[in-house]
Amino acid sequence: MGHDTVRTPPADGAAERRSEQRGWYFYDWACSVYSTSVLTVFLGPYLTSVAKSAADADGYVHPLGIPVRAGSFFAYSVSLSVIVAVLVMPLVGAAADRTGRKKPLLAAAAYTGAAATAAMFFLDGDRYLLGGALLVVANAAQSVAMMLYNSYLPQIAPPEERDAVSSRGWAFGYAAGSLVLVANLVLYTGHDTFGLSESMAVRICLASAGLWWGAFALIPLRRLRDRRTAGREGALPGFRQLAATVRDMRRHPLTLAFLLAYLVYNDGIQTVISQASVYGSEELGLEQSTLIGAVLLVQVLAVAGALAMGRLAQVYGAKRTILGSLVAWTVTLAAGYFLPAGAPVWFFVLAAGIGLVLGGSQALSRSLFSHLIPPGREAEYFSAYEMSDRGMSWLGPLLFGITYQLTGSYRDAIISLVIFFVLGFALLARVPVRRAIGEAGNPVPDRI
């Protein structure tokens, strides 16, 4: 297969390409506020409290007549959203690749998610079912939109620019997450000063994330452009389309090998993110304000980390830089095992370590994967990548939970996650990425 494929942006001027890239960055700026303020900080505790106010005397709610412990309702809603996304993403991805019309699909997913998030303003009293439904819609829409957004990367950046462009996108997202989280925390902690109840302050924080998402999504939707693609066979229903994508991947075993490595070490990353606050509160006895401050510190430092690792990738190549980040994750977890209880300063040091490697390891994984996709199948392959990012990250929490159950120690649980980074390192080190890029039919960058 020739190397002058649709993957390299057309020779219509660097200025137009830069304009598209800047527009692309702004989608991360738009939607990351949902991930940070809604999913990570505010919605879990708030939706749980709403479910508890609707619970019966035994602490159960009954969605569709099914008895569910109120404290589990948020987790089950997130799981259901992942199932919905897994069904929808391959279908939308195949349609995007077949028609070349990604932008209308991105707009539909983004505004569905933004509208559902803004509607969380009405989540009060005992409306737990409304909250669960809005969470499922918003989270699934976010997954679909991110898959489409990621699939633009090979089209707007030539191979030699991709690490830097991907890193800047992540940095934009973390910067927006930090900015809005600061504003939200001012509103939340000072709600009495503003004459608001705690519930109203949380609802404003939730709804503002939806309004921010919708407003800034206009920028990428104005700047990005669709590209015509060669005709492809019709899209198949959800799991059949996913099976067809996996069958095609089997013709590119090195691409599949990278995806397996990413699935393993990303499972470790996602588990650290989700369980660090549990470790901080239960094992180290830290206050909620300390934990929220640590989340904010991670967001701020992830901006610098993503940009710095993008620069390192230009010198050492993306693969070596990712491998270095996995060593850093391992060292950070080992340090976390020895953290003294009741010492917030050391927890902030741990958060700083996480922040510095978080953005870069994710950004460079995305850009490296973009080189391994056969031309014309970007959205379809990124749907599998997004599912490994969101839908497959269950082994880590399971290992964390089992370790705690067997040992009664959160320290043992947190150190058990080292296996994901060690195994991920070993799997990634074995992938010959230059050969993989060539076998996918793409030009091999000078440094990868």
Side-chain angles (χ1 to χ4, degrees):
M1 185 180 289
H3 286 174
D4 53 339
T5 67
V6 294
R7 307 301 302 288
T8 303
D12 51 1
E16 184 176 338
R17 190 170 78 241
R18 294 279 184 273
S19 173
E20 259 197 294
Q21 288 172 359
R22 283 193 291 271
W24 186 79
Y25 301 148
F26 267 98
Y27 187 72
D28 229 327
W29 175 273
C31 74
S32 289
V33 170
Y34 166 81
S35 301
T36 306
S37 285
V38 177
L39 211 55
T40 304
V41 177
F42 288 108
L43 186 58
Y46 184 67
L47 182 55
T48 301
S49 71
V50 171
K52 284 181 176 175
S53 70
D56 60 21
D58 296 320
Y60 284 83
V61 288
H62 299 269
L64 306 177
I66 303 166
V68 172
R69 194 177 287 280
S72 301
F73 183 72
F74 173 71
Y76 288 146
S77 298
V78 172
S79 297
L80 180 58
S81 74
V82 170
I83 293 168
V84 172
V86 165
L87 287 168
V88 174
M89 275 196 289
L91 194 62
V92 174
D97 287 335
R98 192 183 75 252
T99 64
R101 290 177 56 77
K102 292 179 191 174
K103 198 153 75 164
L105 294 168
L106 176 60
Y111 282 101
T112 298
T117 307
M120 289 176 187
F121 180 78
F122 301 104
L123 176 56
D124 63 348
D126 58 0
R127 296 178 177 174
Y128 76 96
L129 269 179
L130 173 66
L134 292 174
L135 169 58
V136 169
V137 171
N139 224 30
Q142 158 78 329
S143 295
V144 172
M146 280 304 292
M147 174 265 293
L148 292 164
Y149 162 75
N150 286 338
S151 72
Y152 270 101
L153 179 59
Q155 298 179 333
I156 63 169
E160 66 276 7
E161 291 182 8
R162 225 166 278 170
D163 292 339
V165 169
S166 182
S167 296
R168 282 187 212 118
W170 276 104
F172 261 63
Y174 282 118
S178 305
L179 187 67
V180 175
L181 188 54
V182 168
N184 284 342
L185 290 177
V186 168
L187 180 68
Y188 175 71
T189 55
H191 60 84
D192 289 333
T193 312
F194 296 108
L196 299 171
S197 67
E198 186 178 358
S199 168
M200 176 61 80
V202 172
R203 286 160 53 205
I204 290 172
C205 292
L206 295 172
S208 65
L211 296 176
W212 178 284
W213 187 356
F216 284 104
L218 289 170
I219 298 173
L221 291 172
R222 279 180 63 87
R223 296 238 179 145
L224 292 170
R225 60 187 184 81
D226 286 330
R227 289 152 172 82
R228 294 188 178 279
T229 58
R232 288 266 317 278
E233 69 278 2
L236 301 167
F239 280 114
R240 285 178 59 202
Q241 181 58 53
L242 177 59
T245 304
V246 171
R247 275 198 304 275
D248 186 71
M249 277 186 166
R250 286 166 63 186
R251 297 193 298 112
H252 302 281
L254 298 180
T255 301
L256 206 52
F258 171 81
L259 196 60
L260 175 62
Y262 172 75
L263 190 154
V264 171
Y265 68 74
N266 184 63
D267 200 347
I269 292 172
Q270 297 303 324
T271 308
V272 172
I273 293 169
S274 66
Q275 302 302 323
S277 60
V278 175
Y279 182 64
S281 61
E282 299 297 325
E283 185 69 34
L284 304 181
L286 301 175
E287 300 288 331
Q288 183 69 23
S289 57
T290 301
L291 299 176
I292 293 176
V295 169
L296 183 58
L297 180 63
V298 167
Q299 297 291 313
V300 171
L301 288 179
V303 176
L307 295 174
M309 285 179 64
R311 294 273 177 87
L312 286 173
Q314 291 174 351
V315 179
Y316 299 106
K319 179 183 171 181
R320 282 183 186 169
T321 308
I322 295 169
L323 289 172
S325 80
L326 299 182
V327 173
W329 274 106
T330 304
V331 171
T332 302
L333 280 185
Y337 178 83
F338 295 105
L339 281 190
V345 171
W346 288 109
F347 191 72
F348 280 123
V349 171
L350 183 72
I354 290 172
L356 287 172
V357 292
L358 174 63
S361 47
Q362 292 175 315
L364 294 177
S365 297
R366 174 172 68 185
S367 60
L368 183 53
F369 183 66
S370 73
H371 291 284
L372 307 177
I373 303 172
R377 305 190 84 110
E378 293 86 359
E380 197 179 324
Y381 269 61
F382 265 114
S383 71
Y385 180 87
E386 192 70 15
M387 278 185 284
S388 69
D389 189 5
R390 293 169 192 271
M392 309 301 181
S393 296
W394 54 273
L395 264 177
L398 180 65
L399 177 62
F400 186 92
I402 289 173
T403 306
Y404 177 72
Q405 185 169 328
L406 293 176
T407 66
S409 167
Y410 280 107
R411 293 184 189 275
D412 292 340
I414 205 85
I415 201 69
S416 72
L417 302 178
V418 163
I419 186 66
F420 290 98
F421 298 105
V422 173
L423 184 57
F425 182 100
L427 290 170
L428 178 58
R430 294 184 52 160
V431 179
V433 291
R434 300 185 76 82
R435 199 170 94 218
I437 294 168
E439 289 183 5
N442 295 313
V444 181
D446 293 335
R447 196 172 298 284
I448 192 70

